[in-house]
Amino acid sequence: YAQAHVQLGQAYLKQMRYAEAVDAVRRGIELQSNAAQPYYILSRAYQGLGQSQDATEALQRFQELSHKSKTKQ
């Protein structure tokens, strides 16, 4: 179910429905917090809302998880 929420958030993001994108992606993160992609989408949604601090934090989490994923391979 986590991926479905993230995909819904991504669809909202494409429609510039940023608040709805944040809500959907955060629900996905609650279900699976160790995936990197949702944090990237969350960062873009926060940017759309003008919430630069939240966007930066989400992007940093994306980078951390991406790095961990690469070092495991």
Side-chain angles (χ1 to χ4, degrees), residues 30-61:
E30 287 174 11
L31 296 170
Q32 182 181 359
S33 63
N34 61 345
Q37 180 198 21
Y39 288 96
Y40 178 76
I41 297 167
L42 186 61
S43 173
R44 291 187 53 214
Y46 280 136
Q47 283 178 323
L49 290 171
Q51 297 178 1
S52 58
Q53 180 64 36
D54 291 328
T56 299
E57 290 173 10
L59 188 59
Q60 288 172 343
R61 185 69 178 138

